Amino acid sequence: MSKIPPALQYTEEHEYVALDEADIVQIGITDYAQGELGDVVFVELPTIGDKFDRMHVFGTIEAVKAVSELFCPVAGEVVDINGALDKDPSLVNRDPYGNGWMIKLRVKRVDDLKELLSASDYAAHIGE
Amino acid sequence: MTLKRTPFYDFHVAAGGKIVPFAGYEMPVQYPTGITKEHEAVRTGVGVFDVSHMGEFEVTGRERNDFVNRMTSNDVSTLDIGQAQYSAILNDQGTVVDDCIVYQFGDKLMMVVNASNIEKDWAHISSRRSGDVRLRNISDEVSLLAVQGPKAETLLRSLTQVPLHDIGYYHFKVGDIAGVQCFVSRTGYTGEDGFELYFRNRDAGVMWKALVEAGGATPIGLGARDSLRLEMGYALYGNDIDDTINPYEAGLGWIVKLNKAEPFVGQEALRAIKEKGVTRKLVGFRMIDRGAIPRHGYDVYLRDTKIDVVRSGGFSPSLKEGIGTTFLPTHSVEPGTRFQVDSRGKRIEAEVVRMPFYRQGSARKAKASKA
């Protein structure tokens, strides 16, 4: 069983969204996703100021065995990236919801957050 | 198609192996600690690989040696009893039907072939059988575990009376390991010292328990098997070699013995190819730009012209960078030659390097001291 913190929201593409402030969210990939990907060796992140629409690709994640794109769960502007992943991409495996986060995003429409999956929806989606 | 299982399937599941379809079998691609840890276990300790899906053909009969010599490109007549040889099965065009290992037992030969090619190889070989030669496909009766790593000999020594130290690189003996009758072969696909153990399916449980549960060897999945062999530049059938590629192109000229006593399938074609010279060669490369891993099938560009695809590619856990193989025109194969790999729309800079990528493997020492 993978960890699915109840307070977070999720996408079917295995990103999670954690509300930081009123309109700022932290985004990363779920524990289930890191387990499926295996050992992460590079994470390619956007630049601060980049804007993405909902479900547009904001980066890529290279694991030993597979490469996967990262999809932006909601439209918004990147206000911070996790520079620590450049030195130690395995943080994504060890602590996906904590030190393995990827970007912080200023959400364009806060209402969009309602479209995301709840923890129980996501658990059902991955069959747990 | 129904997927087959090796006799170790339940052990893989019990160890938490992630099971994937591979060459018609359900095989573990990795165990819970992950590919990087498994890779390191083989480079520094000892790992156990279930490679029972590989195929084995037994060849007997008075004319067995000449027959296998006709079917393979290397020279069977140079083998002593108890010696093995890397070789290739070719078609009439001189391209590769499969790569294989030939074992000389004295009263029989054994050919070990790739799992995905068992049926094709069997059709190729059995249709060319002639004279006093008997062929038996024993693939489904034989279990095969590779025990690989600098500590492989130490582990096996605790389980056997067989004088392992006397088995040189690419040599083998028949004997008991953990009370199980085996062919004990000092061969492998990792670049580390180690052995491959062939034994009966019914002994699979005893052997796995002795090596893994009691012996402490780390189970290794297909993922690390691939990263280990890629670091050594060992060819993988279906990636680096196939039936559109001849051995000279793939850097396997050393297993083609054009002047051996027995004519072999593909010989005439290869003679002509050698005379003319090849136009492309398999090269190893490393990514210069960090951040992208070359994957099998990615397009390769030389001076803006698409020239090939990545044949084998991946992240090297030992070197911590993306490495791969591809075919480049013969005029552009010198180490240092730059070209590009298209990683999902982005051209990433790569450079030709000499293989093997990884040069610290314990197999080199074993080879030097015991060959």
Side-chain angles (χ1 to χ4, degrees):
Chain A
M1 290 290 278
S2 51
K3 282 181 238 158
I4 308 174
L8 307 187
Q9 291 178 288
Y10 300 88
T11 70
E12 292 185 352
E13 304 293 337
H14 312 289
E15 286 83 18
Y16 71 83
V17 175
L19 202 57
D20 247 23
E21 296 166 36
D23 63 343
I24 309 274
V25 291
Q26 174 181 310
I27 293 166
I29 64 165
T30 64
D31 186 38
Y32 173 82
Q34 69 78 20
E36 287 297 298
L37 272 172
D39 302 329
V40 174
V41 290
F42 297 120
V43 183
E44 190 195 345
L45 294 177
T47 318
I48 292 172
D50 285 356
K51 291 178 180 150
F52 296 96
D53 282 332
R54 192 175 97 81
M55 293 324 273
H56 280 218
V57 174
F58 75 80
T60 53
I61 185 161
E62 295 263 12
V64 171
K65 209 54 210 162
V67 57
S68 176
E69 294 186 315
L70 295 164
F71 296 93
C72 203
V74 288
E77 178 182 343
V78 178
V79 295
D80 199 4
I81 59 166
N82 185 359
L85 296 185
D86 194 44
K87 268 214 172 72
D88 187 4
S90 70
L91 286 170
V92 175
N93 295 114
R94 296 204 307 275
D95 191 10
Y97 300 113
N99 292 327
W101 66 277
M102 290 171 184
I103 60 170
K104 296 199 179 193
L105 195 78
R106 185 182 310 281
V107 177
K108 196 169 165 188
R109 292 174 300 270
V110 177
D111 270 4
D112 287 357
L113 295 170
K114 292 177 191 157
E115 308 286 314
L116 297 168
L117 302 178
S118 68
S120 57
D121 291 344
Y122 181 67
H125 173 63
I126 61 174
E128 290 190 358
Chain B
M1 191 180 77
T2 319
L3 293 171
K4 292 194 197 175
R5 292 174 176 181
T6 76
F8 301 100
Y9 177 84
D10 290 340
F11 291 103
H12 300 319
V13 172
K18 187 182 288 180
I19 306 294
V20 299
F22 179 82
Y25 282 80
E26 291 186 277
M27 299 297 285
V29 65
Q30 64 169 80
Y31 299 88
T33 54
I35 293 171
T36 308
K37 286 275 191 317
E38 291 171 29
H39 187 105
E40 283 166 10
V42 175
R43 289 271 179 255
T44 60
V46 52
V48 171
F49 306 66
D50 175 13
V51 275
S52 304
H53 56 308
M54 303 277 294
E56 294 86 11
F57 304 151
E58 190 185 80
V59 191
T60 52
R62 206 166 36 83
E63 295 170 74
R64 62 187 179 277
N65 289 318
D66 289 347
F67 175 71
V68 177
N69 222 0
R70 284 202 299 279
M71 291 302 110
T72 56
S73 61
N74 209 333
D75 190 352
V76 173
S77 72
T78 64
L79 287 175
D80 295 327
I81 294 172
Q83 196 176 2
Q85 126 187 125
Y86 182 58
S87 192
I89 303 166
L90 305 175
N91 59 32
D92 290 321
Q93 292 74 49
T95 57
V96 184
V97 174
D98 203 358
D99 58 341
C100 65
I101 296 180
V102 175
Y103 286 86
Q104 176 60 273
F105 285 81
D107 58 347
K108 66 177 177 186
L109 294 135
M110 182 171 74
M111 300 174 72
V112 180
V113 302
N114 283 295
S116 52
N117 291 335
I118 293 172
E119 283 174 35
K120 178 180 77 169
D121 294 349
W122 180 254
H124 177 96
I125 290 167
S126 56
S127 68
R128 287 169 174 78
R129 191 184 68 87
S130 65
D132 183 3
V133 173
R134 284 186 302 279
L135 284 170
R136 217 156 69 81
N137 180 357
I138 55 172
S139 304
D140 289 340
E141 299 160 34
V142 177
S143 286
L144 173 54
L145 290 180
V147 185
Q148 300 279 300
K151 295 179 179 156
E153 185 173 333
T154 308
L155 169 60
L156 292 191
R157 205 185 298 135
S158 67
L159 300 170
T160 186
Q161 304 291 317
V162 176
L164 298 171
H165 194 75
D166 296 344
I167 304 177
Y169 191 59
Y170 269 78
H171 284 72
F172 67 100
K173 284 187 190 296
V174 182
D176 286 3
I177 304 269
V180 171
Q181 196 189 30
C182 296
F183 309 148
V184 185
S185 168
R186 193 168 220 129
T187 46
Y189 198 44
T190 62
E192 298 302 329
D193 188 19
F195 297 85
E196 291 178 300
L197 309 177
Y198 299 82
F199 49 92
R200 293 179 188 86
N201 288 342
R202 65 165 190 242
D203 296 322
V206 171
M207 189 62 94
W208 184 269
K209 284 175 192 160
L211 294 171
V212 178
E213 291 170 20
T218 306
I220 312 293
L222 295 171
R225 179 168 161 82
D226 193 50
S227 57
L228 288 157
R229 72 94 198 161
L230 177 57
E231 285 185 347
M232 294 307 296
Y234 291 150
L236 171 63
Y237 195 91
N239 285 19
D240 306 292
I241 45 175
D242 61 34
D243 60 10
T244 67
I245 295 162
N246 69 59
Y248 294 121
E249 292 172 319
L252 296 176
W254 63 279
I255 60 168
V256 176
K257 302 292 157 62
L258 285 179
N259 299 318
K260 67 181 181 180
E262 199 70 28
F264 61 95
V265 179
Q267 182 179 26
E268 285 317 305
L270 284 186
R271 216 186 279 285
I273 289 164
K274 191 176 185 189
E275 186 100 339
K276 251 178 83 187
V278 296
T279 57
R280 60 174 184 172
K281 279 186 178 167
L282 188 72
V283 297
F285 66 85
R286 62 182 282 267
M287 302 308 286
I288 290 172
D289 296 334
R290 229 178 129 260
I293 298 177
R295 310 276 181 187
H296 174 64
Y298 282 8
D299 286 340
V300 167
Y301 289 83
L302 181 67
R303 291 186 281 279
D304 285 329
T305 307
K306 196 203 148 190
I307 204 93
D308 199 44
V309 294
V310 173
R311 298 291 172 153
S312 288
F315 181 77
S316 160
S318 301
L319 306 173
K320 310 266 183 262
E321 62 184 6
I323 58 172
T325 63
T326 189
F327 283 95
L328 291 181
T330 312
H331 55 71
S332 297
V333 298
E334 276 307 302
T337 304
R338 297 283 189 103
F339 61 95
Q340 289 84 39
V341 173
D342 187 318
S343 169
R344 293 161 311 113
K346 252 195 259 173
R347 303 266 178 96
I348 314 277
E349 201 72 14
E351 74 170 342
V352 176
V353 294
R354 257 182 243 288
M355 292 192 281
F357 300 95
Y358 179 76
R359 293 165 185 277
Q360 277 81 53
S362 51
R364 300 198 133 208
K365 290 165 220 154
K367 193 174 177 178
S369 70
K370 297 178 191 99

